[in-house]
Amino acid sequence: MTNNTTAGAGSRDREWRKALRESMTAAARTSTPRVKMPTLDPEYRVGNNEEVNEGLTYGQALTEASRCLDCPTPGCVEGCPVGIDIPGFIKEIEAGRPTEAAAVIKQTSALPAVCGRVCPQEKQCESRCIYNKMKKAPVAIGYLERFAADTLLAEKEAHPEQFAEQRPESNGIRVAVVGSGPAGLSFAGSMAARGYEVTVYEALHEIGGVLKYGIPEFRLPNSVVDAEIASLRAMGVDFVKDCIVGKTLSYDDLHAMGFKGIFVASGAGLPRFMGIPGENLNGVMSSNEYLTRINLMGAGQPGHDTPVLKGHRVAVVGGGNTAMDSVRTARRQGAEKAMIVYRRSEAEMPARLEEVAHAKEEGVEFMTLHNPVEFIGDEKGRVKAMRVQRMELGEPDASGRRSPVPVEGAIEEIPVDLVIISVGVSPNPLIPHAISELEVSKRGTIVVDDTTMRSSLPDLYAGGDIVRGGATVILAMGDGRRAAGEMHKALTGEE
């Protein structure tokens, strides 16, 4: 939450008025520079799991909100997968009404405090900001979203009676959700708001899916996820943990229980590997396993028995956000040397620029234009080194990025004692295998209509990574919201 969330309501109001008087005139000018997010000191934060970004102060939020030009045709809204009224919520902040700003966001987004932290705004809403055409830094939409959401969470905690969720009147129709990640939670919130009786089934012992097991607390605190889930519970959403749909309950069981619609959001939890020699050595593991052990199962923390390997020289193979999460986690687990090994250049990395910058601040080394070709083990079967091929960039591939090409004869051996593979994931195969009538793609994803998110079975919809094969939190949430609207039409006939 923001660094003002512990202040009382009266002091917050006074601070708002003071900041308003001091910054309104200057902030109205387009020459005002974009706000910089306060962060914990790198040397301090690598020794703990505290959230790195500290949140905007009231004055910073007001100044940044005042940069918004309130465009007649806001491109930022077009760039948002869930269609948040971005100028609307920003102007509420500018007017000194952050809780009202959060209410605007929650009209279309079930998880504003989450999205404000982990969504790649620079590739979505902020990339469409008119300031880009002016060759200036875009409005910090993500920072402002987090500020509004955190302020609301703080007010709820301080004044629960004033900010209680309104539970819609039930329409008596039951719907089931498989998976409690961002797609499932977004769908659940949208359906609950329409009066449906929603039950979310989660295979693991914690609600939140990838938000809990995949994203470290230094980037997304569990307390934030839990607060967002509590809001859904207050709306009437029921959560069932330790229940595997496809094993514990079948598709037919859900029908027998009275569910009229099913939304599958089971994610992409199957890790991919590289298919090179030595991947079966001890000390070589997927980022899924590594992060799940630490984030969800408490490995390395006092009072938890879950084991996890701790390396002194750790290599993380990959260049996405999960790779950054893994290598930064390794630093917090005591790695003396932690490196990213990526086959393209840094410019081609899919990870957020902020995550790359934070990793560098924390002492992570970047070995770009290199690709492992073999892992070498010691006499006990534990990885001790990797052989890497130096690469150069060739022509662009199907994704538009330049393809890496091996440099002949340029291979070197580097000592490592822990390797984490982070080169992508595949869809969870459980649901596709459990329902024979379901149409599945060659990639193992559930085939849906792109408009309605409906599968080959008329009462089963799907979204998120089980459909996309791997995507961002906000894209998954967009799928959930769209599926909810389409299922509602199908169940009620309403437009």
Side-chain angles (χ1 to χ4, degrees):
M1 298 185 184
T2 69
N3 53 9
N4 291 279
T5 54
T6 58
S11 63
R12 277 193 293 270
D13 291 341
R14 288 191 296 273
E15 188 175 353
W16 261 114
R17 289 194 292 270
K18 181 175 182 291
L20 185 65
R21 289 193 302 270
E22 292 178 350
S23 60
M24 178 64 76
T25 302
R29 298 195 301 267
T30 57
S31 59
T32 301
R34 175 182 164 114
V35 70
K36 292 185 178 180
M37 172 65 75
T39 61
L40 295 177
D41 179 76
E43 289 188 12
Y44 169 78
R45 70 195 193 217
V46 294
N48 58 63
N49 222 27
E50 295 178 25
E51 186 174 13
V52 170
N53 283 344
E54 297 183 282
L56 302 183
T57 66
Y58 277 69
Q60 287 174 319
L62 178 63
T63 299
E64 187 62 24
S66 298
R67 293 183 66 227
C68 177
L69 300 179
D70 199 12
C71 305
T73 305
C76 56
V77 177
E78 297 175 0
C80 175
V82 296
I84 292 171
D85 179 6
I86 293 171
F89 93 75
I90 290 178
K91 289 305 170 183
E92 291 287 359
I93 293 176
E94 184 182 4
R97 298 188 292 264
T99 56
E100 286 84 347
V104 172
I105 300 170
K106 294 195 73 170
Q107 291 174 5
T108 51
S109 173
L111 308 170
V114 170
C115 292
R117 287 169 164 83
V118 302
C119 286
Q121 290 92 5
E122 68 275 9
K123 297 178 181 178
Q124 295 173 337
C125 55
E126 292 181 12
S127 72
R128 307 285 190 92
C129 179
I130 196 170
Y131 273 103
N132 293 301
K133 295 181 179 180
M134 300 162 64
K135 306 299 182 183
K136 296 181 179 180
V139 175
I141 298 169
Y143 294 169
L144 292 174
E145 180 179 17
R146 169 185 167 164
F147 174 80
D150 283 0
T151 301
L152 177 60
L153 293 179
E155 292 293 343
K156 280 184 176 181
E157 186 176 349
H159 308 284
E161 70 288 347
Q162 296 180 23
F163 293 91
E165 295 286 347
Q166 296 299 313
R167 186 166 183 167
E169 183 178 350
S170 174
N171 62 14
I173 303 175
R174 301 187 70 199
V175 296
V177 185
V178 182
S180 68
L185 295 177
S186 177
F187 175 88
S190 296
M191 292 301 271
R194 291 180 167 94
Y196 288 86
E197 297 179 8
V198 184
T199 302
V200 179
Y201 292 97
E202 169 56 52
L204 299 176
H205 63 282
E206 288 279 354
I207 302 299
V210 69
L211 304 176
K212 281 287 184 72
Y213 71 76
I215 304 178
E217 287 208 78
F218 57 76
R219 198 152 70 89
L220 177 62
N222 286 342
S223 60
V224 171
V225 180
D226 290 338
E228 299 279 43
I229 292 169
S231 294
L232 295 176
R233 280 198 171 97
M235 293 175 63
V237 177
D238 186 27
F239 292 94
V240 179
K241 298 181 286 189
D242 301 309
C243 184
I244 305 174
V245 174
K247 292 291 184 181
T248 312
L249 292 174
S250 69
Y251 178 60
D252 291 337
D253 289 335
L254 295 177
H255 287 154
M257 295 165 70
F259 291 108
K260 302 302 181 184
I262 300 167
F263 180 67
V264 177
S266 49
L270 190 65
R272 294 179 191 161
F273 286 90
M274 303 179 68
I276 63 175
E279 279 189 311
N280 61 339
L281 290 168
N282 291 331
V284 179
M285 68 176 71
S286 70
S287 56
N288 294 51
E289 178 184 355
Y290 183 67
L291 292 174
T292 298
R293 284 176 178 269
I294 294 170
N295 296 339
L296 188 68
M297 304 172 72
Q301 300 175 28
H304 293 269
D305 296 329
T306 304
V308 68
L309 293 173
K310 295 186 179 183
H312 296 291
R313 297 178 61 87
V314 180
V316 177
V317 183
N321 288 325
T322 303
M324 298 305 146
D325 287 342
S326 299
V327 77
R328 295 174 66 196
T329 296
R331 284 286 288 130
R332 286 160 174 78
Q333 291 289 315
E336 298 167 5
K337 182 181 178 68
M339 70 188 89
I340 285 286
V341 183
Y342 183 57
R343 61 183 185 151
R344 290 183 167 94
S345 73
E346 186 175 321
E348 282 78 35
M349 277 188 177
R352 297 188 68 184
L353 296 178
E354 181 179 79
E355 301 308 315
V356 174
H358 285 172
K360 288 181 177 179
E361 290 171 359
E362 293 166 8
V364 172
E365 298 181 19
F366 282 71
M367 195 174 188
T368 56
L369 289 171
H370 284 82
N371 197 40
V373 293
E374 181 183 6
F375 301 118
I376 302 168
D378 60 18
E379 64 280 359
K380 295 182 180 180
R382 173 77 183 263
V383 66
K384 69 174 185 179
M386 63 178 178
R387 300 181 71 225
V388 293
Q389 167 76 61
R390 186 154 59 86
M391 313 294 284
E392 61 184 5
L393 293 179
E395 296 301 315
D397 63 11
S399 70
R401 293 182 296 172
R402 295 174 65 189
S403 299
V405 179
V407 176
E408 186 176 355
I411 294 179
E412 60 181 306
E413 186 172 306
I414 299 173
V416 293
D417 55 7
L418 178 62
V419 176
I420 301 165
I421 307 295
S422 185
V423 295
V425 290
S426 298
N428 189 321
L430 186 59
I431 295 293
H433 288 172
I435 306 176
S436 59
E437 304 92 340
L438 196 60
E439 183 180 355
V440 180
S441 73
K442 292 181 180 179
R443 296 187 301 139
T445 57
I446 295 176
V447 176
V448 300
D449 180 277
D450 291 340
T451 302
T452 65
M453 309 307 293
R454 179 184 275 181
S455 74
S456 57
L457 298 173
D459 67 338
L460 191 148
Y461 296 65
D465 288 354
I466 191 63
V467 168
R468 296 176 178 271
T472 62
V473 167
I474 193 66
L475 285 174
M477 289 179 61
D479 289 349
R481 183 168 181 265
R482 185 161 66 255
E486 295 298 330
M487 184 184 289
H488 172 66
K489 291 179 187 178
L491 291 174
T492 65
E494 295 183 18
E495 291 296 329

